[in-house]
Amino acid sequence: MSDTGVLTGEESETSTTEQSETTTVRVHCTGHVRGAVGQPKLEYTFEGSTLRAFLESFFEEYDVAELLIAETEDEAAAHGWVRSDGDPPGSWEKNPEGEQTRAFARVAVNGRFNEHLDGLDTELEDDDRVSLMYPFMFCC
């Protein structure tokens, strides 16, 4: 994993074509991410067209990778959930280890969580909305 919190290596290699193109997205930040970034909404232009390229660029400018990206499976899992006796209903998908968000943090593209799209390889287009969510949570 790179110092930005996003996997590097073969999985993040981009073609010369992708590196030369830029994409401008609308970024919406909530909770702790909003506090760290300093504003709830902004336009952001980066080289490339994938969610991975966006996150790598965004994390270089804004120090929020540790708020969003889990480095281990343990950081991605919420503790204290009730165990299931079988398969829960519906479709359950998650990103590979190292590409998951921290427990309670989420990354969404146009309102859909990235693990229900193509994970960090989700293609972005100009004017897409990328939401970086890490809510404030208080406990009694």
Side-chain angles (χ1 to χ4, degrees), residues 1-13 52 56:
M1 185 175 304
S2 72
D3 58 344
T4 60
V6 181
L7 279 179
T8 59
E10 289 180 5
E11 295 171 353
S12 70
E13 286 180 13
R52 182 184 315 277
E56 288 174 352

Side-chain angles (χ1 to χ4, degrees), residues 25-28 108-112 124-125 127-131:
V25 295
R26 294 175 290 134
V27 182
H28 292 229
V109 176
N110 297 324
R112 295 192 62 203
L124 300 176
E125 297 179 2
D127 206 37
D128 276 350
R129 184 181 71 237
V130 178
S131 301

Side-chain angles (χ1 to χ4, degrees), residues 29-39 62-64 67 136:
C29 306
T30 68
H32 294 291
V33 177
R34 177 181 177 172
V37 169
Q39 53 190 328
Y62 298 97
D63 189 22
V64 295
L67 292 174
F136 295 113

Side-chain angles (χ1 to χ4, degrees), residues 45-115:
T45 301
F46 63 98
E47 286 189 20
S49 63
T50 64
L51 183 58
R52 182 184 315 277
F54 161 77
L55 290 173
E56 288 174 352
S57 178
F58 194 81
F59 292 160
E60 284 181 21
E61 188 167 340
Y62 298 97
D63 189 22
V64 295
E66 287 194 19
L67 292 174
L68 294 166
I69 304 299
E71 292 185 25
T72 65
E73 187 72 31
D74 192 51
E75 291 176 349
H79 301 284
W81 293 99
V82 176
R83 298 205 184 278
S84 173
D85 291 335
D87 290 331
S91 172
W92 295 85
E93 301 172 35
K94 59 192 280 186
N95 291 328
E97 187 169 343
E99 294 187 20
Q100 298 174 8
T101 55
R102 289 185 168 277
F104 308 112
R106 300 305 290 254
V107 175
V109 176
N110 297 324
R112 295 192 62 203
F113 296 134
N114 74 75
E115 62 266 20

